[in-house]
């Protein structure tokens, strides 16, 4: 199989701010794997928080290119080989995993969700994320996102309560979840969550630092709202460690290394009685659609990375009345926009 890759520059419609910084664009990488005249697509959306950037992805992919063998259906052994030649580099691995799955679907002429044995009608709603900004801008964005019945609001500012109040005013019926991106110390998190709970929130994502499992447990024991781990739960091996400190986990293809690893994580999480949300980085419709094909298995989705883009070159999964609508073409079912 032939692996090729190229930079994929994604520009955000508006600057996107979370507790640890602002992004204006994403320097992703588009991957193609060719076999017998068919081509599978994948995407890497590297995150510096997890030690990757476009440079590391390009180096990893160059390292992987001679390691794929000839059989796209041998995904497990191919991924084991990639893990052997290079540790970590999960976004680069996710891109290869996605392209192999796209290829398998195209060879068999079935969409990915069918390959996974899933019911398209069971895809959940996705949230639409409101980044940190001034009160006015956040309220305006929440109102403009009227087509999305579920909002995810980024918190961790000096006045989250005022922000939630204005958002709740303009969106009285929305389901609202919040994400602190590790911004709070445990005691501060408990106080903040107790105050914010007055605005009828669904759950809180990552209140405290990634490595602070004691803090996470303390927050959960004292929180009126369910707590989800994102930065504290990267791969399947993290799940037993966080299981008694949270109510749910956030799985992202770019954190764990692709669809196979995400599927493992879903099963491990279920075995620990945890809720599951599928999340994303800033990604085009290639990466977002890949994750969406697993979404019938999870409780919540936060697959809006493509919705925040000015220039998504691809189209695949759609959102109707907030619900993810999976494409029915073979594999990922993703096409170049305008085709
Ligand atoms: Mg998060």
């Amino acid at each position: 199989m032939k692996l090729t890759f190229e930079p994929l520059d994604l520009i955000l419609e508006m600057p996107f701010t979370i507790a640890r910084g602002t992004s204006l664009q994403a320097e992703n990488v588009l991957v193609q794997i060719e076999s017998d005249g068919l081509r599978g697509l994948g995407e890497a959306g590297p995150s510096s928080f997890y030690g990757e950037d476009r440079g590391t992805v390009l180096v990893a992919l160059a390292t992987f290119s001679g390691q794929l063998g000839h059989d796209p259906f041998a995904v497990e052994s191919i991924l084991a080989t990639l893990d052997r030649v290079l540790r970590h580099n999960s976004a680069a691995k996710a891109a290869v995993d996605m392209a192999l799955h796209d290829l398998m679907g195209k060879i068999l002429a079935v969409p990915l969700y069918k390959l996974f044995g899933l019911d398209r009608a069971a895809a959940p709603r996705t949230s639409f994320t409101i980044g940190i900004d001034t009160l006015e801008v956040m309220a305006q964005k929440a109102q403009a996102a009227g087509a999305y019945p579920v909002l995810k609001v980024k918190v961790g500012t000096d006045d989250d309560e005022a922000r939630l109040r204005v958002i709740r005013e303009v969106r009285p019926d929305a389901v609202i979840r919040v994400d602190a991106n590790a911004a709070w110390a445990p005691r501060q998190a408990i106080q903040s969550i107790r105050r914010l709970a007055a605005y009828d929130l669904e759950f809180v994502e990552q209140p405290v630092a990634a490595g602070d499992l004691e803090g996470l447990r303390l927050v959960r024991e004292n929180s009126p709202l369910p707590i989800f781990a994102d930065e504290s739960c990267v791969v399947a091996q993290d799940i037993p460690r966080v299981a008694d400190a949270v109510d749910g986990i956030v799985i992202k293809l770019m954190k764990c290394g692709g669809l196979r690893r995400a599927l493992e994580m879903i099963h491990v999480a279920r075995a620990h009685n945890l809720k599951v949300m599928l999340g994303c980085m800033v990604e085009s419709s290639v990466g977002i659609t890949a994750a969406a094909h697993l979404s019938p298995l999870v409780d919540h989705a936060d697959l809006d990375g493509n919705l925040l883009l000015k220039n998504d070159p691809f189209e695949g999964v759609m959102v109707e009345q907030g619900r993810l609508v999976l494409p029915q073409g073979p594999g990922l079912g993703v096409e170049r926009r305008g085709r």
Side-chain angles (χ1 to χ4, degrees):
M1 288 182 284
K2 189 176 159 207
L3 172 73
T4 55
F5 43 92
E6 61 191 272
L8 178 62
D9 289 313
L10 302 175
I11 313 291
L12 288 159
E13 192 94 58
M14 299 201 217
F16 182 69
T17 300
I18 68 170
R20 61 175 166 262
T22 298
S23 353
L24 303 166
Q25 61 189 49
E27 297 192 333
N28 290 4
V29 178
L30 183 70
V31 165
Q32 300 192 50
I33 298 178
E34 252 182 87
S35 175
D36 289 331
L38 289 170
R39 200 178 290 172
L41 277 181
E43 177 178 5
S47 159
S48 58
F49 186 80
Y50 298 104
E52 290 185 278
D53 59 25
R54 178 181 282 167
T56 66
V57 169
L58 295 174
V59 170
L61 291 170
T63 309
F64 296 156
S65 66
Q67 305 282 340
L68 301 184
H70 303 288
D71 180 8
F73 290 90
V75 185
E76 290 290 349
S77 73
I78 294 169
L79 296 181
T81 302
L82 303 190
D83 284 340
R84 252 195 321 275
V85 298
L86 214 50
R87 292 174 61 198
H88 309 304
N89 292 281
S90 55
K93 289 172 183 172
V96 172
D97 160 283
M98 249 178 244
L100 290 171
H101 280 87
D102 191 26
L103 201 47
M104 284 193 286
K106 283 174 175 160
I107 293 167
L108 297 172
V110 291
L112 252 168
Y113 68 87
K114 285 198 178 179
L115 209 58
F116 286 125
L118 302 177
D119 177 3
R120 186 170 176 264
R125 301 190 295 185
T126 178
S127 44
F128 183 87
T129 304
I130 309 294
I132 293 172
D133 212 314
T134 61
L135 285 182
E136 295 72 26
V137 171
M138 287 179 80
Q140 188 195 324
K141 284 183 176 173
Q143 195 155 32
Y148 301 96
V150 185
L151 297 178
K152 173 162 133 174
V153 178
K154 293 290 190 177
V155 294
T157 69
D158 52 10
D159 197 358
D160 295 325
E161 197 178 347
R163 287 169 167 78
L164 261 303
R165 188 184 311 120
V166 294
I167 290 171
R168 185 46 92 193
E169 269 167 26
V170 297
R171 294 294 307 276
D173 300 323
V175 171
I176 301 179
R177 52 185 74 142
V178 298
D179 184 358
N181 287 107
W184 294 321
R187 298 276 168 200
Q188 180 192 14
I190 294 165
Q191 284 177 1
S192 299
I193 293 168
R194 285 180 176 165
R195 272 201 306 273
L196 297 181
Y199 300 94
D200 187 17
L201 305 182
E202 185 187 31
F203 58 78
V204 179
E205 217 181 297
Q206 198 64 41
V208 301
D212 187 4
L213 294 189
E214 280 310 308
L216 208 50
R217 189 174 295 113
L218 183 74
V219 172
R220 189 212 183 191
E221 280 164 4
N222 292 280
S223 166
L225 299 172
I227 304 293
F228 278 55
D230 180 359
E231 286 87 338
S232 295
C233 188
V234 178
V235 294
Q237 290 82 348
D238 295 325
I239 297 174
R241 281 198 284 276
V242 302
D244 70 340
V246 295
D247 301 283
I249 62 163
V250 181
I251 297 174
K252 296 177 183 167
L253 303 189
M254 299 303 166
K255 287 195 299 182
C256 69
L259 291 158
R260 270 298 139 158
R261 301 293 180 238
L263 194 59
E264 280 169 23
M265 286 187 81
I266 293 169
H267 295 315
V268 174
R270 295 310 189 193
H272 288 84
N273 291 312
L274 291 168
K275 297 281 185 194
V276 175
M277 176 156 86
L278 262 175
C280 62
M281 303 297 181
V282 176
E283 299 165 35
S284 80
S285 284
V286 174
I288 298 298
T289 303
H293 279 285
L294 284 181
S295 70
L297 281 174
V298 303
D299 306 292
H300 308 288
D302 177 33
L303 295 176
D304 65 345
N306 56 340
L307 305 174
L308 307 174
L309 296 179
K310 192 186 264 181
N311 67 331
D312 187 352
F314 297 96
E315 55 193 345
V317 63
M318 306 289 277
V319 182
E320 278 171 21
Q321 279 141 22
R323 205 162 284 283
L324 294 165
V325 179
L326 304 180
Q328 302 192 72
L332 293 175
V334 165
E335 301 278 356
R336 283 249 173 213
R337 205 164 276 276
R339 240 182 228 172

